[in-house]
Amino acid sequence: MTATVTTDVLVVGAGPTGLVAAIDLTRRGVRALLVERAEGLFPGSRGKGLQPRTQEVLHDLGVLDAIHAAGSRYPKMRVWEGDEPGVEWDMMERSEPSEHVPYAEGWLIPQARTQEVLYARLRELGGEIRFGAALTGLAQDADGVTATFEDGSRVRARYAVAADGGRSTVRRVLGIGMSGETVDPKPMMVADVRVTPGAPIPDTHWHVWPHAADGGVAFCPLPLVSDAGRVYQLAAQYTDETAVPDTSPEAVTQLLATRTALSEKHIAEVLWASEFRARAAMADRFRAGRVFLAGDAAHVHSPAGGQGLNTSVQDAYNLGWKLAAVLSGAPASLLDTYEEERMPVAAGILGISTRIHREGAAGRNTQRGEEVQQLGIGYRDGALTRETRTALPDDALQAGDRAPDGRRGGLRLFDLFQGPHWTLLAVGTDTELPLCDADLIRTARIPAYEAYGTGVFLVRPDGYVAWAGESAEGVEGYMKEIGLA
């Protein structure tokens, strides 16, 4: 009989969602077991863009420097007609960083490289991944969940996180439905292709052949280059809805030679390829008892607008601190706020990515700016939010909003927030602050700052303002309510 492994939280799926969940739990002292069906990390570039809000999350997790070192800004688009280059344009709105928004643009980095950076951070914290672990069953009772695996092994955990993708085994085993629509009936292919040095396309641009025979092609240079040549991500559309994309290296090479300015001699290697149809769907619920759905297991997106991976990372970031708090004695009702907060966010972002995809398919490629950066996401109406001030202007920072960065009084706020703690911040006021457990709540004072105005702000571990007031009156009551005091 195989022994049962015990842990606090079982995380199923070692993509970006599962890795972030495992990192966040591990740094909080939670025993988290991360399992992955495959024998290694996903090898392709699929989700290649990190939005500004996700970069802020990665700063908090201690990996942003490595992410920036491994990536680049997005290049300009160049439109081609056959072998003839045409107009250039920026698909991503160019923005300069500011004091309160330090990461103002999306960052180009292949998903596989993002996962490598996250895995290195997990190992640095003492965590590991159990590869080759195919989950076959999941049962739960009042005290925890029991997972069974293909090799006969079992894991007993107090909670489980399903981060196992759009075809989630956990979601299927739980019987949770997924409702949605086909965004585009035409099939697509995505592939990573190494191009030989001297190919007739500069790696300074993201190249697009919108009118290519049999379907448009986009060819984006990735920050992966060696003496053998630059790696590009290929995204190819098929005009025939009945087409079955051939993902063999020979077929990918032939597609590029047929539809672009490249010839077969310019293709050094096809590293990875996959086919899909763009779909938008969301699980009917994000929680079943002690099991939580996150990332693609909870919602699947068109790749247009670069929203899927980013939304998924923020699911894990929202859930991690709540699981850790409840495991440490906070009220179990705190876990109800995961579904309450994240389902409306996912629904809104599904709408954005679907609209962007259909605009592109209709030839209306609009520039992408604030709506895809995810900086405006917040929880003003959430059960955890307490705004005690009145008559605030609509553009004022309020409880439920993202807490901005800034440097005041010798402090950088994002560095102050960084870590598993809450932060009680007095801005431009000498009001008395309560004594707090320093392991749970870090306190600080800064001069008045226009991004905050003046007052007292209690910032959640995931960087959102939970409570705000003109003074600290009432904040202790809020802390007791959610288990902080």
Side-chain angles (χ1 to χ4, degrees):
M1 178 72 72
T2 303
T4 299
V5 174
T6 60
T7 190
D8 290 327
V9 180
L10 172 66
V11 182
V12 183
T17 312
L19 284 161
V20 167
I23 289 169
D24 203 19
L25 290 165
T26 301
R27 71 173 178 159
R28 297 174 189 280
V30 174
R31 294 180 305 151
L33 176 60
L34 178 55
V35 298
E36 167 57 44
R37 170 186 294 271
E39 296 297 333
L41 295 174
F42 170 74
S45 67
R46 183 179 288 148
K48 66 181 183 300
L50 299 178
Q51 300 294 352
R53 178 58 187 155
T54 305
Q55 292 174 60
E56 295 178 356
V57 172
L58 297 177
H59 169 87
D60 181 45
L61 297 180
V63 299
L64 188 59
D65 286 347
I67 289 290
H68 281 171
S72 68
R73 297 179 74 190
Y74 274 86
K76 282 182 174 288
M77 310 287 288
R78 173 171 284 174
V79 179
W80 291 69
E81 295 292 341
D83 294 341
E84 295 298 321
V87 298
E88 299 179 4
W89 64 292
D90 276 315
M91 183 173 71
M92 301 296 179
E93 183 179 291
R94 301 295 180 182
S95 303
E96 290 300 319
S98 65
E99 187 174 25
H100 63 281
V101 180
Y103 318 115
E105 294 182 3
W107 195 250
L108 178 65
I109 179 172
Q111 180 175 324
R113 187 70 188 103
T114 296
Q115 292 180 186
E116 289 170 359
V117 170
L118 291 170
Y119 184 29
R121 177 61 172 149
L122 178 62
R123 298 186 72 179
E124 182 181 38
L125 292 168
E128 192 48 84
I129 301 173
R130 178 180 158 192
F131 289 108
L135 184 139
T136 56
L138 191 71
Q140 58 179 312
D141 52 44
D143 300 316
V145 299
T146 302
T148 55
F149 294 86
E150 201 170 59
D151 62 3
S153 63
R154 295 186 302 176
V155 172
R156 177 71 176 172
R158 293 180 65 183
Y159 295 97
V161 178
D164 54 341
R167 298 174 181 174
S168 170
T169 299
V170 176
R171 190 184 67 236
R172 176 179 54 79
V173 168
L174 292 174
I176 297 176
M178 200 169 205
S179 305
E181 61 177 324
T182 298
V183 173
D184 191 334
K186 302 181 186 70
M188 295 189 69
M189 178 198 292
V190 61
D192 294 343
V193 180
R194 191 180 302 279
V195 173
T196 59
I201 55 169
D203 60 11
T204 54
H205 290 77
W206 185 344
H207 305 280
V208 184
W209 286 263
H211 305 122
D214 300 321
V217 169
F219 207 49
C220 180
L222 300 173
L224 298 170
V225 62
S226 68
D227 292 342
R230 169 79 70 169
V231 175
Y232 287 71
Q233 185 194 69
L234 162 68
Q237 179 88 62
Y238 291 75
T239 55
D240 181 1
E241 294 182 12
T242 65
V244 179
D246 185 344
T247 58
S248 68
E250 296 79 14
V252 173
T253 299
Q254 184 59 41
L255 183 149
L256 282 163
T258 302
R259 300 196 198 181
T260 75
L262 299 167
S263 64
E264 293 183 14
K265 68 180 181 181
H266 298 127
I267 310 304
E269 186 179 9
V270 177
L271 302 170
W272 165 83
S274 179
E275 57 90 15
F276 68 98
R277 279 176 170 79
R279 187 167 177 257
M282 191 166 76
D284 297 339
R285 50 197 170 118
F286 284 11
R287 180 185 184 183
R290 289 177 171 266
V291 185
F292 300 83
L293 307 186
D296 287 356
H299 43 79
V300 292
H301 306 246
S302 160
Q307 299 296 284
L309 182 152
N310 293 272
T311 307
S312 300
V313 163
Q314 290 168 60
D315 286 346
Y317 192 55
N318 181 287
L319 179 60
W321 71 268
K322 296 174 181 178
L323 280 170
V326 171
L327 286 165
S328 295
S333 58
L334 179 62
L335 296 174
D336 296 335
T337 67
Y338 168 67
E339 182 179 84
E340 175 201 286
E341 290 184 343
R342 294 307 296 172
M343 281 194 83
V345 169
I349 290 174
L350 282 170
I352 290 171
S353 58
T354 297
R355 176 177 53 77
I356 291 174
H357 184 111
R358 288 175 172 163
E359 286 176 351
R364 301 190 304 272
N365 285 304
T366 55
Q367 193 175 60
R368 293 154 197 184
E370 289 185 2
E371 72 170 350
V372 302
Q373 294 177 348
Q374 303 198 353
L375 294 168
I377 290 171
Y379 309 114
R380 286 189 180 185
D381 298 324
L384 292 179
T385 300
R386 300 288 187 279
E387 177 56 71
T388 69
R389 299 166 298 170
T390 59
L392 292 171
D394 289 341
D395 60 352
L397 180 70
Q398 298 184 33
D401 294 348
R402 160 194 169 270
D405 195 12
R407 296 179 187 272
R408 289 292 187 278
L411 293 173
R412 182 188 177 188
L413 294 180
F414 274 8
D415 290 344
L416 177 68
F417 302 154
Q418 187 175 30
H421 55 269
W422 294 65
T423 305
L424 185 61
L425 182 67
V427 183
T429 176
D430 59 2
T431 187
E432 184 178 353
L433 298 178
L435 292 175
C436 299
D437 181 340
D439 290 333
L440 289 177
I441 306 172
R442 184 176 296 177
T443 58
R445 293 180 185 274
I446 63 171
Y449 174 26
E450 64 276 10
Y452 284 76
T454 60
V456 177
F457 303 86
L458 180 63
V459 180
R460 295 168 21 163
D462 58 352
Y464 290 90
V465 178
W467 183 99
E470 293 180 0
S471 71
E473 183 179 355
V475 73
E476 285 184 281
Y478 175 84
M479 291 176 185
K480 290 176 182 178
E481 180 184 340
I482 62 172
L484 281 174

